[in-house]
Amino acid sequence: MNTLLDAVRTGRRDLVTALITPLTPGERRALLPELTALRREIRSWDWSRRWDAEPTLRALHLAGAACHTGPAAAASWIAARDLRDGRTRDTAHLAALLAPRDPAWRADVAHRLAARTATVEDDYPLIRALLHGTEAPAPTTDGFVHAWARATTTSTGTNDTTTGRRPRPRSRPLRVALREDPYTAELVPRLFETATPAPSLTWYDDPRTAGRWPAELAHLATEGTVQRRTLLTGTVGRLLRGGRTGHLAFYTDLLDVLDLTTDERAEHTADWIALAADAPSPTAGRAQQTLTALFEAGRLPADRLAEMSAAVLFRPEKKLVRAQLVLLGKALRRDAEDRHALLPATAAAFGHPDTALQEKALKLVAAHLRPDDDALRADLALDAEQLGPALRRTAATLLGALADPAAGPDTDGYEETLPAAPARRPLTTAGRSVAETVELVAALAKTNAPTAEETETALDLLVRHAHQDRTVLAAALLPALADRHWAHEDAGRADPAHLTAPELLAAAVLGRLHPADLSPRRPIDGRGFGQHCIHDALQRVTTARAREAALRILTDPLPFLLATPTWDCGTLEPHDLLTRLTAYARQGATPAPADFAQALLRVRRDPQAAAAADALATGEGRRLAAWLTADGEPAPHTRHVSDQDRGQRTWWRAERPTLRRIVLEIPERPVIQKEFPAVFHPLGRPRTGTPRCWHWRGQELAHLAVLPQDRETQAVWLLPDLTGCATEEGRGAGEVLSRLAELGGPAGPALHLAVATGLGARHAEDRLAAVDALLVLAARGELDTTLLGRDLAELLRLGTVKPNRLADAARTAAATGAYATTWAFLAGSLPAVLADSAGRGAGELLAVAADCVEHCGPGGPLPEGLAPAAARKGTSQLATQARRLHTALTTATG
């Protein structure tokens, strides 16, 4: 026994094998307690010792697996992560020790190992060794199938994309490996049933190349190793299950390599129709091509073509819809009697957002509808209600009176529909119990990104209850924060640098902080209050205020906080601040400097409240009066165009040309620099439009509550991030913009420029958030569409905003019912697009503008450059949509 343990500790696997081989099952089980104890010991070793313990780990792994006599326990020991290292597993010793076991036992262990997703790939050689000679079926778990495909592939010397190295070539090519593997017939059908395709299946450039999976699977079907029907049915079934486009590419490539016959295609007609309707665009395009081939072969009846068309024409992809309309035209020309089935299907395109496709479908109906088709004409008239306003008049002439009385664009009765402005929620803390306070603080301790509303509520509640009875509050907090290491008495003093704002106050209540650790003269971090990222500066304001409140809990408790917002957005009403200052004076409480400074930044500027503030006859009252009149006015910013250097070489991208962009600069605010605590000084320093800063993400929304009444300044700070979202790969700033629009203060040029930049963001979620901001401003009557249009025009000329992205955002805004609002700002931006009509998406943007005009009919002067664009010959989208917009504007003007 000791000899075996010594062999394990010294990592001598050969000796371990020799010692265990002659033992009986009972003798092996008797060794398990000491092996288990050694395993526990190794777990307690520090990382430096475990790094040197690789031989011991491998020997222990071997000994424990061989000594377990139950299959479940043996599999659990073999798959244990704490007995593994980062190197490739050597299974020869273990396979040799387990080979004499009963075949059923080995098969059971193999299947248990195959069911462990995390380790099945590492254990694949052992699993195959255990299954050898058992005549047991192959495991069919996803992990084992993936490992089997990888092992079979790498035997041919194909690139290994996991390690980036080319494996050593073996003698068996993939074709031979598949033919000789006894599990090929069992596992090939499973290739089409796994949740994701085995990565090794896609290691090819050309699927028809010999030695690649698509070509070799087709060869297996040719020679009869695998039935061709199995491949076809499995592939189609896998495509129907859906998934990411990259995951489906292998299966569509396999269908191409199989080169289906017409009969095979016809057998799966319903499946192709389902794929054309719902599959990702590339897969749907392949299905559409297959159905087109069936039509050309005379194997696609009119009713199935109509079924297919109704589904495809509902898709947003213009390429698919255009191809389907071409196919419908061929079918209608081939047999005019099929129009009763095909024309109603064609009418599905009447609801497509692209009016050019609507027009194409209407022309197709006009070309094949006969004078005596009264019933068909009535059905089509119902579908024609989906057409755009301009096309309805054409449809009314062709189909008769439409069900909708407004056959043409009845713009006289147009009413703009704007979403309701977000309602503000009051933030109340007075009267809430200790139990509610403790519950909130405990929840925030487990939250990574609490909202400003949650944080402010927790801070004020902690201050209130600590002032009333700190002992009662501490007794309630201690069990609720038992999982926080700093909350225990034996943990010593807590480190303020590692605590969130509510935790700082809770630690002060529990006595885990010392006043010296919370001194305002002590910097929050090593950089002090020097020049740093504005987001870090905003975070320091919140942290400094929390430290100040925690220090007062330990030295001179405050009755409540002055800066607690009135509303969830962070705004503090003047009468609330006046009431709190009056209560402070009555109780003889001294306001905390950072708390009062934060209150000034949050208070809604109301000059009429200045007299009442001055009447308090206190220093804070006089400062509040001055702030409500002149001192609190936001600093005006300046604007210019700057060259952003994008030519520097970095490790992730090559040199790129410079980009011209709009830069906003904020001057110094002397009041903040002279009268506010030092932590606030970075908020009043001059800020130039520097490139995007880098900071810890996740707190940007909470930072808005530091200056909830100064949207302009915050918009200037946000603009570099928004520009990065439009010109680089940045994302996420749009969410901040949509919340910024809900705050108070003037909605001036900086906020409008920020919205304009967000409308051209690269990612759809940021554009959608910018649309939300735009609609919030419009609903509150704060949107200056002329200013927004000018900003968009300048951004389009500079290349910051791309026409196609702006078109997507404008279409989303218009779809909410805000057609007049959308046209109002698009009208100012169109001259920039028309001046550079070669830009991608120019025609698309004109189409959105035409939609808006046709719905609301505002009339007015033609945008500069529209008349020449409308006079162009040709059928390009730009020329077509320019003519359409020109017609809509001139018609509305009368």
Side-chain angles (χ1 to χ4, degrees):
M1 184 182 303
N2 292 334
T3 304
L4 177 64
L5 285 178
D6 291 341
V8 170
R9 286 184 177 275
T10 56
R12 299 176 61 186
R13 283 180 291 166
D14 291 337
L15 181 56
V16 169
T17 302
L19 292 173
I20 291 180
T21 299
L23 298 179
T24 65
E27 291 173 330
R28 295 187 183 194
R29 283 194 298 270
L31 294 172
L32 287 174
E34 294 195 36
L35 293 175
T36 303
L38 177 57
R39 180 179 177 183
R40 283 195 298 269
E41 178 188 335
I42 292 177
R43 285 178 179 172
S44 66
W45 292 355
D46 59 33
W47 285 108
S48 61
R49 188 175 179 188
R50 289 201 63 182
W51 185 261
D52 298 329
E54 175 192 333
T56 303
L57 281 174
R58 294 199 170 201
L60 178 61
H61 183 266
L62 174 64
C67 289
H68 278 93
T69 56
S76 178
W77 185 281
I78 293 171
R81 300 304 292 256
D82 63 312
L83 295 174
R84 296 168 179 259
D85 52 47
R87 301 188 183 183
T88 305
R89 303 293 303 280
D90 180 6
T91 60
H93 291 85
L94 183 54
L97 272 176
L98 300 181
R101 297 288 184 93
D102 181 71
W105 186 94
R106 287 189 283 121
D108 191 354
V109 173
H111 279 262
R112 291 177 184 274
L113 292 175
R116 295 176 176 266
T117 305
T119 56
V120 61
E121 187 167 345
D122 289 342
D123 290 335
Y124 175 79
L126 177 62
I127 295 171
R128 290 301 299 261
L130 291 172
L131 289 173
H132 182 70
T134 64
E135 299 184 359
T140 56
T141 63
D142 285 10
F144 184 81
V145 173
H146 286 196
W148 172 77
R150 179 186 177 89
T152 309
T153 304
T154 54
S155 68
T156 67
T158 304
N159 279 336
D160 184 337
T161 59
T162 302
T163 64
R165 297 188 295 269
R166 186 178 296 274
R168 179 177 299 173
R170 299 183 183 176
S171 58
R172 295 192 310 166
L174 177 59
R175 180 173 301 180
V176 176
L178 289 171
R179 185 187 301 120
E180 295 180 352
D181 194 310
Y183 294 135
T184 294
E186 284 183 77
L187 295 181
V188 164
R190 280 288 297 144
L191 293 175
F192 308 103
E193 299 172 5
T194 56
T196 58
S200 55
L201 298 181
T202 62
W203 295 350
Y204 58 81
D205 295 324
D206 183 354
R208 298 181 182 275
T209 301
R212 304 298 185 259
W213 274 95
E216 296 308 328
L217 287 176
H219 182 78
L220 288 179
T222 301
E223 66 180 15
T225 304
V226 177
Q227 292 188 0
R228 180 180 174 90
R229 177 176 292 275
T230 299
L231 297 180
L232 176 56
T233 304
T235 301
V236 173
R238 182 60 185 83
L239 291 173
L240 287 171
R241 283 168 51 197
R244 294 167 50 188
T245 301
H247 288 170
L248 300 181
F250 165 76
Y251 304 105
T252 54
D253 288 342
L254 178 57
L255 288 178
D256 289 343
V257 175
L258 288 174
D259 193 15
L260 305 185
T261 65
T262 300
D263 289 339
E264 288 174 328
R265 291 191 178 101
E267 182 181 353
H268 292 276
T269 298
D271 297 328
W272 309 130
I273 293 175
L275 291 173
D278 299 320
S281 186
T283 306
R286 298 282 190 96
Q288 186 183 50
Q289 293 171 6
T290 301
L291 291 166
T292 301
L294 286 175
F295 165 77
E296 293 173 348
R299 302 290 295 275
L300 188 66
D303 59 334
R304 304 311 296 270
L305 176 58
E307 179 186 354
M308 168 199 179
S309 300
V312 174
L313 295 178
F314 190 74
R315 295 183 66 109
E317 298 94 335
K318 298 177 186 178
K319 181 179 179 180
L320 295 179
V321 174
R322 192 176 297 111
Q324 194 64 28
L325 291 175
V326 171
L327 180 59
L328 283 169
K330 292 180 180 178
L332 289 166
R333 288 192 295 272
R334 187 169 69 177
D335 189 345
E337 294 304 316
D338 288 341
R339 68 185 184 280
H340 296 283
L342 299 182
L343 288 183
T346 305
F350 289 171
H352 197 278
D354 191 314
T355 55
L357 294 175
Q358 292 182 13
E359 184 178 9
K360 187 176 182 66
L362 186 59
K363 288 180 178 179
L364 196 59
V365 170
H368 296 280
L369 188 65
R370 295 186 178 180
D372 57 343
D373 291 336
D374 296 334
L376 183 57
R377 183 175 282 102
D379 291 340
L380 293 171
L382 294 173
D383 292 322
E385 297 174 15
Q386 304 175 76
L387 291 168
L391 291 176
R392 289 185 189 176
R393 288 175 290 181
T394 304
T397 303
L398 173 65
L399 305 174
L402 301 181
D404 183 358
D410 182 15
T411 55
D412 292 338
Y414 173 76
E415 183 176 352
E416 184 83 343
T417 303
L418 292 171
R424 297 183 301 178
R425 299 189 310 274
L427 192 153
T428 56
T429 56
R432 299 179 68 170
S433 66
V434 171
E436 291 177 286
T437 302
V438 170
E439 181 181 4
L440 177 59
V441 173
L444 293 183
K446 299 178 176 64
T447 303
N448 292 327
T451 65
E453 179 183 4
E454 293 170 335
T455 299
E456 290 295 335
T457 301
L459 294 182
D460 191 59
L461 287 174
L462 286 168
V463 168
R464 287 176 181 271
H465 289 294
H467 180 266
Q468 293 169 8
D469 195 329
R470 176 180 164 187
T471 303
V472 171
L473 178 60
L477 278 174
L478 190 58
L481 298 175
D483 60 335
R484 306 284 99 178
H485 71 278
W486 51 264
H488 301 281
E489 280 191 57
D490 57 358
R493 286 161 56 175
D495 184 358
H498 297 142
L499 300 180
T500 64
E503 288 177 336
L504 276 168
L505 270 66
V509 170
L510 295 174
R512 303 295 183 264
L513 294 173
H514 190 276
D517 297 332
L518 301 171
S519 171
R521 292 186 297 273
R522 187 167 183 170
I524 295 176
D525 62 18
R527 291 182 292 176
F529 303 131
Q531 293 285 352
H532 41 60
C533 166
I534 189 61
H535 302 89
D536 287 341
L538 293 169
Q539 182 60 49
R540 282 175 177 77
V541 166
T542 301
T543 304
R545 180 165 161 260
R547 288 192 177 194
E548 179 185 70
L551 178 61
R552 293 294 294 265
I553 287 176
L554 296 173
T555 57
D556 182 15
L558 296 168
F560 47 80
L561 293 177
L562 294 174
T564 303
T566 304
W567 305 103
D568 62 313
C569 62
T571 296
L572 173 60
E573 291 295 333
H575 65 83
D576 284 337
L577 182 54
L578 287 169
T579 301
R580 294 170 188 174
L581 287 173
T582 301
Y584 263 50
R586 185 171 58 250
Q587 298 181 37
T590 303
D595 186 38
F596 179 65
Q598 176 65 93
L600 292 180
L601 293 178
R602 283 179 173 164
V603 71
R604 181 175 59 84
R605 293 188 67 254
D606 182 3
Q608 296 181 357
D614 195 53
L616 292 176
T618 63
E620 287 76 17
R622 287 187 289 273
R623 286 186 59 191
L624 175 59
W627 184 267
L628 293 175
T629 52
D631 291 351
E633 293 182 356
H637 61 268
T638 58
R639 168 174 173 158
H640 64 273
V641 176
S642 173
D643 289 338
Q644 175 183 346
D645 184 10
R646 298 170 65 191
Q648 60 182 353
R649 185 181 297 276
T650 62
W651 65 269
W652 73 87
R653 61 165 63 101
E655 292 186 4
R656 299 202 298 181
T658 58
L659 169 72
R660 305 198 73 205
R661 62 190 181 95
I662 299 176
V663 173
L664 301 181
E665 299 183 359
I666 303 178
E668 182 181 42
R669 295 189 68 177
V671 173
I672 294 179
Q673 295 280 26
K674 295 177 181 178
E675 300 183 11
F676 280 53
V679 72
F680 289 84
H681 292 176
L683 308 186
R685 292 194 181 115
R687 292 273 172 182
T688 59
T690 55
R692 298 172 63 201
C693 57
W694 302 103
H695 55 278
W696 290 108
R697 314 293 297 187
Q699 293 295 323
E700 291 87 350
L701 293 178
H703 293 162
L704 295 178
V706 177
L707 278 85
Q709 286 296 302
D710 195 352
R711 287 182 291 185
E712 283 291 278
T713 297
Q714 299 218 54
V716 173
W717 293 341
L718 182 61
L719 187 61
D721 277 349
L722 287 169
T723 303
C725 288
T727 61
E728 301 285 347
E729 295 293 336
R731 65 194 314 159
E735 182 184 9
V736 184
L737 177 62
S738 64
R739 290 291 298 276
L740 180 61
E742 301 174 15
L743 302 185
L751 183 57
H752 281 74
L753 178 60
V755 172
T757 306
L759 293 175
R762 177 184 295 269
H763 298 287
E765 62 269 23
D766 286 317
R767 294 197 297 271
L768 182 60
V771 170
D772 288 341
L774 183 150
L775 295 175
V776 166
L777 294 177
R780 292 168 59 166
E782 298 174 332
L783 183 65
D784 186 338
T785 54
T786 302
L787 175 59
L788 182 61
R790 286 201 303 266
D791 284 340
L792 285 170
E794 186 173 5
L795 292 170
L796 286 164
R797 293 188 185 98
L798 294 174
T800 304
V801 170
K802 305 294 189 296
N804 59 320
R805 296 176 187 170
L806 176 58
D808 177 74
R811 186 184 300 109
T812 302
T816 66
Y819 290 102
T821 300
T822 304
W823 163 248
F825 70 78
L826 283 183
S829 66
L830 289 181
V833 177
L834 293 168
D836 183 19
S837 56
R840 179 184 175 188
E844 188 177 353
L845 188 59
L846 288 172
V848 177
D851 282 340
C852 294
V853 174
E854 290 171 355
H855 277 86
C856 65
L862 299 179
E864 183 181 352
L866 179 61
R872 292 182 181 180
K873 297 181 179 180
T875 58
S876 67
Q877 186 182 30
L878 176 66
T880 301
Q881 298 302 332
R883 287 192 290 269
R884 178 183 163 212
L885 177 59
H886 187 277
T887 300
L889 284 171
T890 54
T891 301
T893 304

